[in-house]
PDB file of all heavy atoms in Angstrom:
ATOM      1  N   VAL A  98      -8.213  15.903 -28.753  1.00  0.00           N
ATOM      2  CA  VAL A  98      -8.214  17.321 -28.444  1.00  0.00           C
ATOM      3  C   VAL A  98      -6.794  17.897 -28.600  1.00  0.00           C
ATOM      4  O   VAL A  98      -6.587  18.968 -29.144  1.00  0.00           O
ATOM      5  CB  VAL A  98      -8.773  17.584 -27.060  1.00  0.00           C
ATOM      6  CG1 VAL A  98      -8.585  19.050 -26.646  1.00  0.00           C
ATOM      7  CG2 VAL A  98     -10.254  17.217 -26.978  1.00  0.00           C
ATOM      8  N   LEU A 110      -1.660  23.595 -25.104  1.00  0.00           N
ATOM      9  CA  LEU A 110      -2.098  22.597 -24.129  1.00  0.00           C
ATOM     10  C   LEU A 110      -0.946  22.336 -23.184  1.00  0.00           C
ATOM     11  O   LEU A 110       0.054  21.753 -23.547  1.00  0.00           O
ATOM     12  CB  LEU A 110      -2.526  21.307 -24.841  1.00  0.00           C
ATOM     13  CG  LEU A 110      -3.129  20.228 -23.938  1.00  0.00           C
ATOM     14  CD1 LEU A 110      -4.440  20.714 -23.318  1.00  0.00           C
ATOM     15  CD2 LEU A 110      -3.372  18.928 -24.723  1.00  0.00           C
ATOM     16  N   TYR A 123      -2.199  19.326  -9.968  1.00  0.00           N
ATOM     17  CA  TYR A 123      -1.506  20.050 -11.033  1.00  0.00           C
ATOM     18  C   TYR A 123      -1.453  21.550 -10.710  1.00  0.00           C
ATOM     19  O   TYR A 123      -0.400  22.197 -10.839  1.00  0.00           O
ATOM     20  CB  TYR A 123      -2.210  19.839 -12.376  1.00  0.00           C
ATOM     21  CG  TYR A 123      -1.510  20.493 -13.542  1.00  0.00           C
ATOM     22  CD1 TYR A 123      -0.592  19.805 -14.326  1.00  0.00           C
ATOM     23  CD2 TYR A 123      -1.740  21.835 -13.846  1.00  0.00           C
ATOM     24  CE1 TYR A 123       0.066  20.416 -15.392  1.00  0.00           C
ATOM     25  CE2 TYR A 123      -1.099  22.471 -14.900  1.00  0.00           C
ATOM     26  CZ  TYR A 123      -0.188  21.763 -15.661  1.00  0.00           C
ATOM     27  OH  TYR A 123       0.459  22.376 -16.702  1.00  0.00           O
ATOM     28  N   GLU A 125      -1.616  23.028  -7.893  1.00  0.00           N
ATOM     29  CA  GLU A 125      -0.790  23.334  -6.734  1.00  0.00           C
ATOM     30  C   GLU A 125       0.666  23.518  -7.129  1.00  0.00           C
ATOM     31  O   GLU A 125       1.434  24.184  -6.415  1.00  0.00           O
ATOM     32  CB  GLU A 125      -0.905  22.217  -5.696  1.00  0.00           C
ATOM     33  CG  GLU A 125      -2.246  22.194  -4.965  1.00  0.00           C
ATOM     34  CD  GLU A 125      -2.364  21.024  -4.021  1.00  0.00           C
ATOM     35  OE1 GLU A 125      -1.486  20.108  -4.056  1.00  0.00           O
ATOM     36  OE2 GLU A 125      -3.336  20.970  -3.240  1.00  0.00           O
ATOM     37  N   ASN A 127       1.569  24.216 -10.641  1.00  0.00           N
ATOM     38  CA  ASN A 127       1.667  24.983 -11.866  1.00  0.00           C
ATOM     39  C   ASN A 127       0.629  26.100 -11.865  1.00  0.00           C
ATOM     40  O   ASN A 127      -0.560  25.839 -11.717  1.00  0.00           O
ATOM     41  CB  ASN A 127       1.435  24.089 -13.095  1.00  0.00           C
ATOM     42  CG  ASN A 127       2.392  22.923 -13.144  1.00  0.00           C
ATOM     43  OD1 ASN A 127       3.503  23.009 -13.639  1.00  0.00           O
ATOM     44  ND2 ASN A 127       1.947  21.782 -12.615  1.00  0.00           N
ATOM     45  N   ILE A 141     -12.908   9.455  -9.129  1.00  0.00           N
ATOM     46  CA  ILE A 141     -12.270  10.039  -7.920  1.00  0.00           C
ATOM     47  C   ILE A 141     -12.883  11.391  -7.545  1.00  0.00           C
ATOM     48  O   ILE A 141     -13.440  11.556  -6.467  1.00  0.00           O
ATOM     49  CB  ILE A 141     -10.745  10.158  -8.056  1.00  0.00           C
ATOM     50  CG1 ILE A 141     -10.131   8.791  -8.394  1.00  0.00           C
ATOM     51  CG2 ILE A 141     -10.133  10.747  -6.809  1.00  0.00           C
ATOM     52  CD1 ILE A 141      -8.635   8.810  -8.657  1.00  0.00           C
ATOM     53  N   MET A 142     -12.799  12.346  -8.445  1.00  0.00           N
ATOM     54  CA  MET A 142     -13.409  13.657  -8.235  1.00  0.00           C
ATOM     55  C   MET A 142     -13.923  14.150  -9.570  1.00  0.00           C
ATOM     56  O   MET A 142     -13.137  14.422 -10.491  1.00  0.00           O
ATOM     57  CB  MET A 142     -12.380  14.650  -7.673  1.00  0.00           C
ATOM     58  CG  MET A 142     -12.919  16.015  -7.316  1.00  0.00           C
ATOM     59  SD  MET A 142     -11.609  17.098  -6.648  1.00  0.00           S
ATOM     60  CE  MET A 142     -12.556  18.519  -6.111  1.00  0.00           C
ATOM     61  N   GLY A 144     -16.389  16.448 -12.407  1.00  0.00           N
ATOM     62  CA  GLY A 144     -16.470  17.861 -12.736  1.00  0.00           C
ATOM     63  C   GLY A 144     -17.419  18.627 -11.853  1.00  0.00           C
ATOM     64  O   GLY A 144     -17.182  19.823 -11.541  1.00  0.00           O
ATOM     65  N   ARG A 159     -10.435  30.279 -15.979  1.00  0.00           N
ATOM     66  CA  ARG A 159     -11.683  30.152 -16.728  1.00  0.00           C
ATOM     67  C   ARG A 159     -11.996  28.681 -16.938  1.00  0.00           C
ATOM     68  O   ARG A 159     -11.078  27.878 -17.112  1.00  0.00           O
ATOM     69  CB  ARG A 159     -11.557  30.894 -18.060  1.00  0.00           C
ATOM     70  CG  ARG A 159     -11.013  32.307 -17.959  1.00  0.00           C
ATOM     71  CD  ARG A 159     -11.980  33.225 -17.237  1.00  0.00           C
ATOM     72  NE  ARG A 159     -13.123  33.500 -18.088  1.00  0.00           N
ATOM     73  CZ  ARG A 159     -14.223  34.124 -17.657  1.00  0.00           C
ATOM     74  NH1 ARG A 159     -14.338  34.504 -16.404  1.00  0.00           N
ATOM     75  NH2 ARG A 159     -15.219  34.368 -18.500  1.00  0.00           N
ATOM     76  N   ARG A 167     -25.477  16.661 -23.114  1.00  0.00           N
ATOM     77  CA  ARG A 167     -25.876  17.952 -23.653  1.00  0.00           C
ATOM     78  C   ARG A 167     -27.395  18.105 -23.516  1.00  0.00           C
ATOM     79  O   ARG A 167     -28.149  17.656 -24.378  1.00  0.00           O
ATOM     80  CB  ARG A 167     -25.437  18.072 -25.099  1.00  0.00           C
ATOM     81  CG  ARG A 167     -25.809  19.399 -25.719  1.00  0.00           C
ATOM     82  CD  ARG A 167     -25.116  19.584 -27.051  1.00  0.00           C
ATOM     83  NE  ARG A 167     -25.572  20.774 -27.712  1.00  0.00           N
ATOM     84  CZ  ARG A 167     -24.972  21.338 -28.734  1.00  0.00           C
ATOM     85  NH1 ARG A 167     -23.878  20.804 -29.213  1.00  0.00           N
ATOM     86  NH2 ARG A 167     -25.445  22.438 -29.312  1.00  0.00           N
ATOM     87  N   CYS A 175     -24.213  23.424 -14.658  1.00  0.00           N
ATOM     88  CA  CYS A 175     -22.804  23.865 -14.819  1.00  0.00           C
ATOM     89  C   CYS A 175     -22.690  25.381 -14.682  1.00  0.00           C
ATOM     90  O   CYS A 175     -21.756  25.891 -14.069  1.00  0.00           O
ATOM     91  CB  CYS A 175     -22.275  23.415 -16.182  1.00  0.00           C
ATOM     92  SG  CYS A 175     -22.077  21.630 -16.352  1.00  0.00           S
ATOM     93  N   PHE A 207     -22.333  29.732 -23.787  1.00  0.00           N
ATOM     94  CA  PHE A 207     -23.379  28.743 -23.505  1.00  0.00           C
ATOM     95  C   PHE A 207     -24.332  28.726 -24.695  1.00  0.00           C
ATOM     96  O   PHE A 207     -24.789  29.792 -25.113  1.00  0.00           O
ATOM     97  CB  PHE A 207     -24.153  29.101 -22.243  1.00  0.00           C
ATOM     98  CG  PHE A 207     -23.351  28.988 -20.982  1.00  0.00           C
ATOM     99  CD1 PHE A 207     -22.742  30.109 -20.438  1.00  0.00           C
ATOM    100  CD2 PHE A 207     -23.203  27.771 -20.338  1.00  0.00           C
ATOM    101  CE1 PHE A 207     -21.981  30.013 -19.260  1.00  0.00           C
ATOM    102  CE2 PHE A 207     -22.445  27.657 -19.164  1.00  0.00           C
ATOM    103  CZ  PHE A 207     -21.843  28.780 -18.647  1.00  0.00           C
ATOM    104  N   ALA A 212     -31.199  25.806 -28.886  1.00  0.00           N
ATOM    105  CA  ALA A 212     -30.229  24.925 -29.552  1.00  0.00           C
ATOM    106  C   ALA A 212     -30.091  23.602 -28.798  1.00  0.00           C
ATOM    107  O   ALA A 212     -29.983  22.538 -29.409  1.00  0.00           O
ATOM    108  CB  ALA A 212     -28.876  25.618 -29.645  1.00  0.00           C
ATOM    109  N   HIS A 216     -31.210  19.767 -30.117  1.00  0.00           N
ATOM    110  CA  HIS A 216     -30.093  18.843 -30.326  1.00  0.00           C
ATOM    111  C   HIS A 216     -30.582  17.413 -30.330  1.00  0.00           C
ATOM    112  O   HIS A 216     -31.379  16.993 -29.494  1.00  0.00           O
ATOM    113  CB  HIS A 216     -29.058  19.007 -29.192  1.00  0.00           C
ATOM    114  CG  HIS A 216     -27.957  17.996 -29.261  1.00  0.00           C
ATOM    115  ND1 HIS A 216     -27.009  18.023 -30.238  1.00  0.00           N
ATOM    116  CD2 HIS A 216     -27.681  16.958 -28.463  1.00  0.00           C
ATOM    117  CE1 HIS A 216     -26.159  17.030 -30.044  1.00  0.00           C
ATOM    118  NE2 HIS A 216     -26.549  16.351 -28.984  1.00  0.00           N
ATOM    119  N   ARG A 217     -30.119  16.618 -31.284  1.00  0.00           N
ATOM    120  CA  ARG A 217     -30.552  15.225 -31.416  1.00  0.00           C
ATOM    121  C   ARG A 217     -29.385  14.294 -31.074  1.00  0.00           C
ATOM    122  O   ARG A 217     -28.477  14.148 -31.857  1.00  0.00           O
ATOM    123  CB  ARG A 217     -31.017  14.933 -32.864  1.00  0.00           C
ATOM    124  CG  ARG A 217     -32.235  15.734 -33.277  1.00  0.00           C
ATOM    125  CD  ARG A 217     -32.567  15.440 -34.739  1.00  0.00           C
ATOM    126  NE  ARG A 217     -31.467  15.845 -35.588  1.00  0.00           N
ATOM    127  CZ  ARG A 217     -31.279  15.354 -36.823  1.00  0.00           C
ATOM    128  NH1 ARG A 217     -32.083  14.436 -37.299  1.00  0.00           N
ATOM    129  NH2 ARG A 217     -30.280  15.787 -37.561  1.00  0.00           N
ATOM    130  N   PRO A 218     -29.408  13.669 -29.866  1.00  0.00           N
ATOM    131  CA  PRO A 218     -28.300  12.822 -29.460  1.00  0.00           C
ATOM    132  C   PRO A 218     -28.008  11.700 -30.439  1.00  0.00           C
ATOM    133  O   PRO A 218     -26.880  11.281 -30.606  1.00  0.00           O
ATOM    134  CB  PRO A 218     -28.768  12.272 -28.111  1.00  0.00           C
ATOM    135  CG  PRO A 218     -29.767  13.283 -27.612  1.00  0.00           C
ATOM    136  CD  PRO A 218     -30.454  13.777 -28.834  1.00  0.00           C
ATOM    137  N   ASP A 230     -22.068  13.986 -45.141  1.00  0.00           N
ATOM    138  CA  ASP A 230     -22.278  14.554 -46.478  1.00  0.00           C
ATOM    139  C   ASP A 230     -21.032  14.405 -47.343  1.00  0.00           C
ATOM    140  O   ASP A 230     -21.104  14.044 -48.529  1.00  0.00           O
ATOM    141  CB  ASP A 230     -22.661  16.020 -46.348  1.00  0.00           C
ATOM    142  CG  ASP A 230     -24.010  16.229 -45.663  1.00  0.00           C
ATOM    143  OD1 ASP A 230     -24.792  15.246 -45.583  1.00  0.00           O
ATOM    144  OD2 ASP A 230     -24.253  17.348 -45.185  1.00  0.00           O
ATOM    145  N   ASP A 236     -27.057   6.997 -42.567  1.00  0.00           N
ATOM    146  CA  ASP A 236     -27.423   7.465 -41.223  1.00  0.00           C
ATOM    147  C   ASP A 236     -26.867   6.527 -40.155  1.00  0.00           C
ATOM    148  O   ASP A 236     -26.373   6.971 -39.121  1.00  0.00           O
ATOM    149  CB  ASP A 236     -28.950   7.530 -41.101  1.00  0.00           C
ATOM    150  CG  ASP A 236     -29.545   8.685 -41.886  1.00  0.00           C
ATOM    151  OD1 ASP A 236     -28.777   9.603 -42.264  1.00  0.00           O
ATOM    152  OD2 ASP A 236     -30.758   8.704 -42.102  1.00  0.00           O
ATOM    153  N   LEU A 242     -20.159   6.088 -36.331  1.00  0.00           N
ATOM    154  CA  LEU A 242     -18.958   6.918 -36.342  1.00  0.00           C
ATOM    155  C   LEU A 242     -18.922   7.810 -35.103  1.00  0.00           C
ATOM    156  O   LEU A 242     -17.890   7.953 -34.439  1.00  0.00           O
ATOM    157  CB  LEU A 242     -18.923   7.785 -37.595  1.00  0.00           C
ATOM    158  CG  LEU A 242     -17.814   8.848 -37.663  1.00  0.00           C
ATOM    159  CD1 LEU A 242     -16.435   8.202 -37.672  1.00  0.00           C
ATOM    160  CD2 LEU A 242     -17.996   9.720 -38.897  1.00  0.00           C
ATOM    161  N   ILE A 245     -18.023   5.732 -32.120  1.00  0.00           N
ATOM    162  CA  ILE A 245     -16.606   5.367 -32.157  1.00  0.00           C
ATOM    163  C   ILE A 245     -15.738   6.509 -31.639  1.00  0.00           C
ATOM    164  O   ILE A 245     -14.839   6.325 -30.813  1.00  0.00           O
ATOM    165  CB  ILE A 245     -16.163   4.984 -33.587  1.00  0.00           C
ATOM    166  CG1 ILE A 245     -16.812   3.654 -34.031  1.00  0.00           C
ATOM    167  CG2 ILE A 245     -14.641   4.865 -33.684  1.00  0.00           C
ATOM    168  CD1 ILE A 245     -16.596   3.314 -35.471  1.00  0.00           C
ATOM    169  N   LYS A 257     -26.272  -0.903 -27.567  1.00  0.00           N
ATOM    170  CA  LYS A 257     -27.075   0.323 -27.606  1.00  0.00           C
ATOM    171  C   LYS A 257     -27.946   0.424 -28.854  1.00  0.00           C
ATOM    172  O   LYS A 257     -29.051   0.970 -28.811  1.00  0.00           O
ATOM    173  CB  LYS A 257     -26.163   1.545 -27.495  1.00  0.00           C
ATOM    174  CG  LYS A 257     -25.585   1.758 -26.096  1.00  0.00           C
ATOM    175  CD  LYS A 257     -24.823   3.069 -26.013  1.00  0.00           C
ATOM    176  CE  LYS A 257     -24.349   3.311 -24.585  1.00  0.00           C
ATOM    177  NZ  LYS A 257     -23.627   4.613 -24.463  1.00  0.00           N
ATOM    178  N   SER A 261     -26.020  -6.907 -33.972  1.00  0.00           N
ATOM    179  CA  SER A 261     -25.050  -7.958 -33.637  1.00  0.00           C
ATOM    180  C   SER A 261     -23.652  -7.388 -33.709  1.00  0.00           C
ATOM    181  O   SER A 261     -23.391  -6.449 -34.505  1.00  0.00           O
ATOM    182  CB  SER A 261     -25.197  -9.135 -34.597  1.00  0.00           C
ATOM    183  OG  SER A 261     -24.697  -8.770 -35.894  1.00  0.00           O
ATOM    184  N   HIS A 263     -21.160  -8.616 -35.181  1.00  0.00           N
ATOM    185  CA  HIS A 263     -20.706  -8.789 -36.569  1.00  0.00           C
ATOM    186  C   HIS A 263     -21.190  -7.639 -37.448  1.00  0.00           C
ATOM    187  O   HIS A 263     -20.428  -7.119 -38.287  1.00  0.00           O
ATOM    188  CB  HIS A 263     -21.207 -10.112 -37.126  1.00  0.00           C
ATOM    189  CG  HIS A 263     -20.836 -10.313 -38.566  1.00  0.00           C
ATOM    190  ND1 HIS A 263     -19.535 -10.613 -38.961  1.00  0.00           N
ATOM    191  CD2 HIS A 263     -21.603 -10.261 -39.709  1.00  0.00           C
ATOM    192  CE1 HIS A 263     -19.510 -10.720 -40.285  1.00  0.00           C
ATOM    193  NE2 HIS A 263     -20.742 -10.515 -40.758  1.00  0.00           N
ATOM    194  N   HIS A 268     -20.097  -2.470 -40.329  1.00  0.00           N
ATOM    195  CA  HIS A 268     -20.293  -1.005 -40.478  1.00  0.00           C
ATOM    196  C   HIS A 268     -18.979  -0.265 -40.242  1.00  0.00           C
ATOM    197  O   HIS A 268     -18.638   0.676 -40.984  1.00  0.00           O
ATOM    198  CB  HIS A 268     -21.329  -0.521 -39.477  1.00  0.00           C
ATOM    199  CG  HIS A 268     -22.760  -0.745 -39.906  1.00  0.00           C
ATOM    200  ND1 HIS A 268     -23.239  -0.281 -41.083  1.00  0.00           N
ATOM    201  CD2 HIS A 268     -23.791  -1.386 -39.276  1.00  0.00           C
ATOM    202  CE1 HIS A 268     -24.523  -0.607 -41.202  1.00  0.00           C
ATOM    203  NE2 HIS A 268     -24.876  -1.287 -40.109  1.00  0.00           N
ATOM    204  N   HIS A 291      -8.468  18.351 -41.772  1.00  0.00           N
ATOM    205  CA  HIS A 291      -9.554  19.028 -42.469  1.00  0.00           C
ATOM    206  C   HIS A 291     -10.370  19.819 -41.455  1.00  0.00           C
ATOM    207  O   HIS A 291     -11.484  19.418 -41.104  1.00  0.00           O
ATOM    208  CB  HIS A 291     -10.432  18.001 -43.191  1.00  0.00           C
ATOM    209  CG  HIS A 291      -9.727  17.251 -44.265  1.00  0.00           C
ATOM    210  ND1 HIS A 291      -8.919  16.165 -44.000  1.00  0.00           N
ATOM    211  CD2 HIS A 291      -9.669  17.414 -45.621  1.00  0.00           C
ATOM    212  CE1 HIS A 291      -8.413  15.697 -45.137  1.00  0.00           C
ATOM    213  NE2 HIS A 291      -8.842  16.458 -46.121  1.00  0.00           N
ATOM    214  N   LEU A 294     -14.216  20.585 -41.446  1.00  0.00           N
ATOM    215  CA  LEU A 294     -15.246  19.678 -41.002  1.00  0.00           C
ATOM    216  C   LEU A 294     -15.887  20.208 -39.734  1.00  0.00           C
ATOM    217  O   LEU A 294     -16.958  19.834 -39.371  1.00  0.00           O
ATOM    218  CB  LEU A 294     -14.685  18.268 -40.794  1.00  0.00           C
ATOM    219  CG  LEU A 294     -14.224  17.522 -42.048  1.00  0.00           C
ATOM    220  CD1 LEU A 294     -13.490  16.224 -41.648  1.00  0.00           C
ATOM    221  CD2 LEU A 294     -15.407  17.194 -42.971  1.00  0.00           C
TER     222      LEU A 294
END
Side-chain angles (χ1 to χ4, degrees):
V98 171
L110 186 64
Y123 183 94
E125 288 176 350
N127 304 274
I141 305 176
M142 184 180 188
R159 311 293 288 170
R167 181 169 174 165
C175 292
F207 292 96
H216 174 70
R217 297 177 297 159
D230 296 341
D236 288 344
L242 172 64
I245 291 172
K257 287 187 176 181
S261 72
H263 177 74
H268 279 305
H291 296 82
L294 292 172

